[in-house]
Amino acid sequence: MNCPLVIDGKIAAAEVLGQVKHDVEVMKADGVRPCLAVILVGDDPASEVYVRNKVLRAEECGITSLEYKVGSDTSQAHVLHMIEVLNEDAAVHGILVQLPLPKHIDESVVLQAINPQKDVDGFHSENVGGLSQGLDVLAPCTPTGCMYLLHKTLGDLSGKHAVVIGRSNIVGKPMAALLLKANCTVTILHSRSERAETICRQADIVVAAVGRPLMVDADWLKPGAIVIDVGINRINAGGRSRLVGDVDMESALTKVSAITPVPGGVGPMTIAFLMRNTLTAAKQQTQSRAKSEASCLSIS
Ligand code: GUN
């Protein structure tokens, strides 16, 4: 078998970000500067790192970023009020509420409060529903990034059997919808699935998004499979802490034709597609405003 390809997410993310940066410059020349607002409730250290990276990347692309950090005791009503103000602000094109939220705040109520046109995470039910109907909506960033890597590696995905391990709203379910839209035969495996390993061994494409370190090894894989590892798990091995995926890469490399590493695989793609969603949202809002102004003029 040929030497397996280790898919470099940093290179792919740089391609996407380069295109976003170019398109942002074109928009700015037309007088519109895309703007992303990020709300962080509480002081979860991992969330703080994610938000800092999102804000930095936005600045690198020429996208304005507004960061709203509030304490962990902030009420749900106050978070909803912040969203309402941002929804009304025509200069803000994208709104992201970093998850997880503190326990006293109902995540689904908060996500539903975001204007679907500004929902750059693709978590609002209008966008979730649109995606499940195969419509061109704002789709969640991590699965969109995985699709980019798959197309870049394989080209056309039509007819391939794709197995998604994990059924989360953020990754597993939208990933399955995007693979279906790309004409794959899709199976979702989850914690209650029987014969998971046997089913996974039939897959041409495996997307592991389960949050269990090193769960998938060579025994789960068909020779020549392509593996996208979404897991980011911190483990302690031999007295030192390190990041690993849901896939045991060393073992998987004996079987796969291509695989994403952890770190440096899917991770950089999530932020790149957040920037692309912000740009898309800004373009769509600018176009729909121009249309409604034109129709007002034709009535008056
Ligand atoms: N927390 C972990 N991943 C995500 C994500 O993709 N979006 C948001 N808003 N919060 C997250």
Side-chain angles (χ1 to χ4, degrees):
M1 200 173 68
N2 288 337
C3 185
L5 170 72
V6 176
I7 302 168
D8 192 328
K10 285 178 283 189
I11 290 178
E15 283 166 13
V16 176
L17 290 168
Q19 186 65 51
V20 170
K21 194 171 174 183
H22 169 267
D23 288 6
V24 167
E25 274 161 19
V26 172
M27 278 200 94
K28 283 193 337 206
D30 286 340
V32 180
R33 183 172 178 150
C35 172
L36 170 67
V38 181
I39 300 176
L40 173 61
V41 186
D43 46 19
D44 175 61
S47 292
E48 280 182 350
V49 173
Y50 287 134
V51 167
R52 197 177 321 131
N53 287 336
K54 287 169 186 176
V55 167
L56 280 175
R57 209 58 84 231
E59 279 158 14
E60 279 167 22
C61 292
I63 294 173
T64 303
S65 61
L66 306 173
E67 196 180 341
Y68 299 93
K69 281 177 79 170
V70 290
S72 56
D73 56 352
T74 304
S75 69
Q76 177 168 308
H78 185 68
V79 176
L80 293 175
H81 173 69
M82 290 167 78
I83 292 172
E84 205 179 304
V85 172
L86 294 168
N87 280 342
E88 291 302 316
D89 187 340
V92 172
H93 305 102
I95 304 171
L96 178 143
V97 178
Q98 186 64 30
L99 303 177
L101 289 165
K103 289 209 165 37
H104 65 279
I105 298 181
D106 186 332
E107 184 179 295
S108 66
V109 171
V110 167
L111 296 179
Q112 282 302 104
I114 297 172
N115 176 346
Q117 290 193 333
K118 299 190 178 188
D119 170 34
V120 284
D121 259 329
F123 294 164
H124 190 285
S125 63
E126 197 173 306
N127 288 322
V128 175
L131 181 62
S132 79
Q133 291 178 320
L135 303 178
D136 212 2
V137 290
L138 290 169
C141 306
T142 302
T144 311
C146 294
M147 290 304 288
Y148 184 93
L149 295 178
L150 284 170
H151 283 302
K152 193 173 152 68
T153 309
L154 256 189
D156 184 17
L157 309 183
S158 282
K160 302 289 181 201
H161 183 199
V163 162
V164 179
I165 313 177
R167 54 175 160 176
S168 70
N169 291 335
I170 294 184
V171 183
K173 287 179 199 154
M175 188 73 228
L178 288 168
L179 287 162
L180 192 58
K181 197 174 168 194
N183 301 315
C184 290
T185 303
V186 184
T187 305
I188 302 182
L189 298 175
H190 50 78
S191 53
R192 303 285 178 90
S193 294
E194 291 177 3
R195 294 172 289 106
E197 194 177 313
T198 309
I199 294 167
C200 189
R201 221 169 16 237
Q202 296 166 8
D204 305 303
I205 296 167
V206 176
V207 181
V210 72
R212 284 182 59 186
L214 312 175
M215 187 185 88
V216 176
D217 63 14
D219 292 341
W220 287 64
L221 301 170
K222 175 165 102 173
I226 293 190
V227 176
I228 303 289
D229 189 354
V230 183
I232 303 179
N233 312 288
R234 188 162 287 284
I235 62 163
N236 280 306
R240 81 192 169 94
S241 152
R242 67 184 180 113
L243 286 182
V244 296
D246 293 346
V247 179
D248 180 342
M249 170 121 165
E250 208 180 306
S251 165
L253 278 170
T254 62
K255 282 270 188 77
V256 300
S257 61
I259 186 167
T260 58
V262 176
V266 173
M269 301 306 287
T270 300
I271 296 194
F273 277 89
L274 174 64
M275 298 307 129
R276 207 177 81 170
N277 274 356
T278 305
L279 174 71
T280 304
K283 281 185 186 168
Q284 287 171 348
Q285 285 159 50
T286 307
Q287 278 163 8
S288 73
R289 250 170 239 146
K291 262 193 204 155
S292 67
E293 274 161 23
S295 64
C296 283
L297 280 176
S298 69
I299 290 168
S300 60

